[in-house]
Amino acid sequence: MRFEEKLKRYADLAVRAGCNLQKGQDLYLTAPICAAEFARMTVKSAYEAGARQVIVQWTDEAVTRMGYEYSPLEVYEQYPEWMAKLRNGAAEQGAAMLFIDASNPGAMAGIDPRKPAASSRASNAACKPYRDAVNQGKVAWCIIAAAAPDWAAKVFPELPADAALEQLWDCIFQAVRVDQADPNEAWETHRHNFDARRALLNKYQFTSLHYKNAHGTDITIGLPKNHNWAGGGAELADGRCFFPNMPTEEIFCSPHRDRAEGTVHSALPLNYHGNLIDDFSLTFHEGKVTDFSAAKGYDMLKELVGTDENACRLGEAALIPACSPIAQMGVLFYNTLYDENASCHFALGRGFSECVQGGASMSEEELVKAGVNASAAHVDFMLGTADLSITGITADGREIPVFVDGGWASEFQE
Ligand code: ZN
């Protein structure tokens, strides 16, 4: 298959399987100018799928960076009302949302981290109708990645620029299954596998999971009562399916914030605000980090754990088999959409309301009471190795293998 053909398939896939765009619907596309060519292809795919109108919001990291350099912190504490109107309006009109990410991992190096943090707080507050529509299944949305020169150079520094870009596109095509005979069908199968595994995990309602490998991980995490494993495809209120993330390989839950005991050792370096934390371990007691070490980036890890009062507790446990396409590549992408789909991981910080039954309508206090952590931080770190075992412990004390040798135990296989 020629490169252009793969790109076109990818654009079609994002619009159809990703956003499940309907005839007569609007598409609100956010795209970086460094991926303009691919963005235009998705616009074309959207019109071909019957879009009424495609509105593109172009972004540019160089411009964003300039803003952070020149404008004081106060500017970022308020989100422009007219910008909020645009986003809230798109959501209220029921437009599908497609986000293309091609960010350069080092683009904001050296920027005062309080500015982007203030900016996302302010936009979250000002764009509540938009956020609610996205979080409550009122609009379909999808995040995908596009290769761009700066990002490719960071992932493949040993290659010349052209080859690095080509290599990154190849990884993307493989990860999103564009290279398979029928990508749409491949995603349908993917969806069914997710559904079956989630249903089985939810039926077991394990009280805890025990993780162990030869790398130094030996930890038991509690799971909240009435927890709900999520991941894979999502559903709109009207039952239509979409994929919020492409690729996606993870099934995840929020561990109980007070019930982690033992030590977890990292399996891959963690890129935190442009700095690498590597070969690190965290020891938990009653859900809180009580000790940690790092061969590299100890100070960054310390900052992360201390982001706020509850950044030292777990918010996510995600299961990804070592045989998933992204895991097989063995590449560090410096991009969450990719890296978090490469390996079983935990996240320090905020948990997910969707991971307990009825969580969507609970207040933050109620969620915390239910065991779901609250924090401004949510940072994934990878712990999955080829020898990782995960054992589920049921309420009546039975031990059920969930992961064996880094992959799903037989009961959970396709
Ligand atoms: Zn995750």
Side-chain angles (χ1 to χ4, degrees):
M1 219 189 305
R2 283 183 317 123
F3 175 72
E4 280 73 24
E5 218 172 308
K6 289 185 195 167
L7 266 191
K8 174 64 178 146
R9 275 178 149 215
Y10 184 29
D12 284 342
L13 189 69
V15 165
R16 292 170 194 266
C19 295
N20 196 350
L21 189 79
Q22 302 291 297
K23 281 202 172 66
Q25 193 181 13
D26 288 353
L27 179 71
Y28 177 36
L29 171 67
T30 307
I33 57 168
C34 62
E37 194 193 338
F38 174 65
R40 286 185 205 109
M41 290 182 91
T42 61
V43 172
K44 186 156 189 282
S45 293
Y47 281 121
E48 286 168 358
R52 192 185 74 102
Q53 191 174 28
V54 182
I55 306 286
V56 184
Q57 187 177 350
W58 296 102
T59 60
D60 179 14
E61 283 179 320
V63 170
T64 306
R65 185 181 171 97
M66 253 182 262
Y68 288 141
E69 281 170 349
Y70 283 91
S71 297
L73 180 61
E74 306 88 86
V75 170
Y76 292 98
E77 284 164 349
Q78 248 158 16
Y79 194 74
E81 207 179 308
W82 49 271
M83 283 284 290
K85 272 188 187 154
L86 172 76
R87 293 171 74 189
N88 292 337
E92 276 155 12
Q93 294 265 319
M97 320 261 175
L98 179 61
F99 306 89
I100 300 177
D101 178 16
S103 42
N104 167 12
M108 301 300 152
I111 291 296
D112 178 354
R114 289 177 306 164
K115 288 180 183 176
S119 170
S120 69
R121 261 196 313 275
S123 80
N124 269 347
C127 303
K128 192 164 186 305
Y130 164 86
R131 252 189 327 123
D132 287 350
V134 163
N135 291 333
Q136 296 166 3
K138 288 182 192 149
V139 297
W141 54 282
C142 176
I143 306 178
I144 58 169
D150 288 343
W151 180 24
K154 177 84 184 176
V155 180
F156 301 109
E158 70 287 358
L159 296 179
D162 283 359
L165 190 62
E166 195 178 317
Q167 183 79 24
L168 185 54
W169 270 122
D170 272 345
C171 290
I172 291 175
F173 292 148
Q174 210 180 315
V176 297
R177 296 164 161 79
V178 153
D179 55 354
Q180 298 192 13
D182 183 341
N184 275 297
E185 197 183 288
W187 277 86
E188 252 335 281
T189 308
H190 201 35
R191 183 199 311 282
H192 286 302
N193 290 336
F194 273 120
D195 289 351
R197 287 184 183 129
R198 274 200 333 241
L200 190 53
L201 285 165
N202 285 334
K203 197 178 86 188
Y204 269 121
Q205 282 293 312
F206 295 122
T207 53
S208 59
L209 296 175
H210 178 214
Y211 289 63
K212 199 167 163 47
N213 66 13
H215 212 56
T217 293
D218 188 353
I219 187 169
T220 299
I221 58 166
L223 293 174
K225 224 180 163 170
N226 298 324
H227 61 261
N228 179 48
W229 288 89
E235 236 175 61
L236 292 171
D238 66 10
R240 273 185 299 124
C241 299
F242 66 101
F243 278 101
N245 289 314
M246 295 181 112
T248 184
E249 301 291 338
E250 60 168 359
I251 290 182
F252 59 92
C253 200
S254 286
H256 196 291
R257 66 195 291 279
D258 298 324
R259 289 173 42 217
E261 295 290 334
T263 296
V264 54
H265 199 98
S266 66
L268 282 170
L270 164 62
N271 176 34
Y272 183 62
H273 293 325
N275 298 282
L276 280 195
I277 308 172
D278 200 6
D279 199 3
F280 61 97
S281 70
L282 298 158
T283 299
F284 291 81
H285 177 55
E286 292 179 349
K288 277 178 83 162
V289 173
T290 52
D291 195 17
F292 55 91
S293 69
K296 197 180 163 199
Y298 178 87
D299 291 340
M300 292 309 290
L301 183 60
K302 190 172 172 187
E303 193 178 306
L304 162 59
V305 171
T307 307
D308 61 23
E309 196 190 341
N310 292 315
C312 60
R313 298 174 188 272
L314 294 176
E316 179 187 356
L319 306 176
I320 295 111
C323 64
S324 85
I326 303 173
Q328 291 285 305
M329 292 175 204
V331 172
L332 181 62
F333 288 96
Y334 303 93
N335 180 303
T336 313
L337 184 61
Y338 275 73
D339 291 329
E340 79 162 5
N341 282 306
S343 161
C344 281
H345 57 266
F346 288 161
L348 284 169
R350 187 177 57 254
F352 302 112
S353 59
E354 67 195 287
C355 292
V356 283
Q357 284 165 34
S361 54
M362 287 184 190
S363 68
E364 194 171 284
E365 258 172 31
E366 290 170 320
L367 283 168
V368 166
K369 229 175 178 179
V372 179
N373 196 32
S375 167
H378 179 95
V379 179
D380 288 349
F381 62 94
M382 308 303 139
L383 60 98
T385 53
D387 70 333
L388 178 69
S389 71
I390 305 173
T391 307
I393 294 132
T394 62
D396 56 2
R398 282 179 300 143
E399 296 191 357
I400 310 291
V402 178
F403 261 52
V404 176
D405 291 333
W408 293 102
S410 56
E411 194 183 352
F412 291 85
Q413 270 166 29
E414 288 150 39

